[in-house]
Amino acid sequence: MSNPTDKNDQDVIDFGFQQIPKQEKEHRVAGVFHSVADKYDVMNDLMSFGIHRLWKKATVDLCSIRKGQKILDLAGGTGDLTAKFSRLVGEQGRVILADINDSMLKVGRSKLRDKGLINNIDYVQANAEALPFADNYFDCITISFGLRNVTDKQKALASMHRVLKPGGRLLVLEFSKPQHALLNKAYDLYSFHVLPVMGKVIANDADSYRYLAESIRMHPDQEKLRQMMLNAGFNDVKYYNMTGGIVALHRGFKF
């Protein structure tokens, strides 16, 4: 006979530091990103002091993208990585900017069209847990600062593995666990006291940026995420700590 406590544990999930019914998380996360979409890029620059651009450049460099390839920029938001991929794959390649949130996709589409990037980019509203693409389709998948918001991360990683070609690679860029005690303490102070104030002043939304800080703390650390990728079928999984482990870039291959 099953234990009622076990069943309850299976039916709830974290939303920041809260425990909520699992079926509510997607809706709650959607509300966060609908709220911040218009100010998302501005806040990224301010809260990371512009360093997010270096993290994303490192991600692109490790993708080893070539002309003509098919790339999935998952949870791609406002399209920072898609813009870089579009130029790298050229006219014969294809980049799909996918996000579960239509507000973020609209901002991304508008920004990329303003840059004149229209010929090799498609836009798809998609849930990472059930990607609407054929098996063995993409040469490379990236998910940048999006995995922590997914309800079932293990299911999403398996879905990514399915749509990658043999020889393809997945890169996960995500906030992680700082590797030094003093940095970790300073990061906590910044995250829980400064970020919500910035969110209130810039985006008129302190709660969403409080959730951001909490969701980072609830996300699997470097080694745990590496193991999750291995469990999903990826091989040769390695991670690279950046800015003292505030962010980690994981890369795995489908053999």
Side-chain angles (χ1 to χ4, degrees), residues 136 141 153-170 172 224-238 251-255:
N136 306 316
I141 299 174
K153 298 174 181 64
Q154 194 65 62
K155 187 175 180 181
L157 290 168
S159 185
M160 295 176 220
H161 186 272
R162 177 185 65 79
V163 301
L164 268 177
K165 293 178 180 179
R169 55 265 180 220
L170 167 67
V172 180
K224 185 172 181 180
L225 179 54
R226 176 180 175 273
Q227 189 59 54
M228 289 173 70
M229 290 176 67
L230 289 169
N231 291 345
F234 290 95
N235 299 95
D236 193 24
V237 179
K238 297 178 181 177
R251 183 177 65 175
F253 294 85
K254 178 177 179 177
F255 289 167

Side-chain angles (χ1 to χ4, degrees), residues 128-164:
E129 297 173 31
L131 292 170
F133 308 110
D135 294 358
N136 306 316
Y137 186 77
F138 292 102
D139 296 285
C140 182
I141 299 174
T142 60
I143 180 166
S144 174
F145 304 115
L147 185 61
R148 72 179 184 282
N149 297 309
V150 173
T151 302
D152 190 330
K153 298 174 181 64
Q154 194 65 62
K155 187 175 180 181
L157 290 168
S159 185
M160 295 176 220
H161 186 272
R162 177 185 65 79
V163 301
L164 268 177

Side-chain angles (χ1 to χ4, degrees), residues 6-186:
D6 293 339
K7 184 177 187 301
N8 289 339
D9 288 346
Q10 293 170 6
D11 289 343
V12 299
I13 197 166
D14 59 274
F15 178 76
F17 290 162
Q18 301 178 53
Q19 289 288 298
I20 63 171
K22 187 173 289 187
Q23 66 270 21
E24 289 184 12
K25 181 164 182 177
E26 183 178 322
H27 174 73
R28 294 272 199 108
V29 170
V32 168
F33 286 94
H34 284 311
S35 176
V36 305
D38 288 342
K39 299 293 184 181
Y40 185 80
D41 287 337
V42 173
M43 281 296 296
N44 273 354
D45 277 329
L46 289 174
M47 68 186 185
S48 74
F49 307 102
I51 299 173
H52 75 99
R53 299 176 185 275
L54 299 178
W55 299 333
K56 290 171 181 173
K57 182 181 183 302
T59 302
V60 173
D61 289 346
L62 274 177
C63 285
S64 303
I65 289 170
R66 300 188 300 277
K67 296 287 186 184
Q69 291 189 325
K70 297 184 182 73
I71 314 299
L72 174 61
D73 183 11
L74 184 57
T78 59
D80 282 352
L81 292 180
T82 292
K84 299 178 186 300
F85 296 150
S86 174
R87 297 182 178 101
L88 289 170
V89 300
E91 293 182 2
Q92 302 305 311
R94 207 78 200 158
V95 183
I96 294 180
L97 171 57
D99 203 292
I100 198 171
N101 189 282
D102 63 329
S103 296
M104 296 291 284
L105 276 178
K106 287 173 183 174
V107 173
R109 183 186 293 111
S110 177
K111 186 171 80 172
L112 293 168
R113 286 179 175 175
D114 286 347
K115 293 175 180 287
L117 300 171
I118 58 174
N119 293 327
N120 62 357
I121 301 173
D122 295 313
Y123 303 88
V124 176
Q125 188 172 356
N127 187 328
E129 297 173 31
L131 292 170
F133 308 110
D135 294 358
N136 306 316
Y137 186 77
F138 292 102
D139 296 285
C140 182
I141 299 174
T142 60
I143 180 166
S144 174
F145 304 115
L147 185 61
R148 72 179 184 282
N149 297 309
V150 173
T151 302
D152 190 330
K153 298 174 181 64
Q154 194 65 62
K155 187 175 180 181
L157 290 168
S159 185
M160 295 176 220
H161 186 272
R162 177 185 65 79
V163 301
L164 268 177
K165 293 178 180 179
R169 55 265 180 220
L170 167 67
L171 290 98
V172 180
L173 180 66
E174 188 55 89
F175 293 110
S176 199
K177 183 174 177 57
Q179 298 299 288
H180 304 286
L182 287 177
L183 178 60
N184 197 40
K185 185 174 182 179

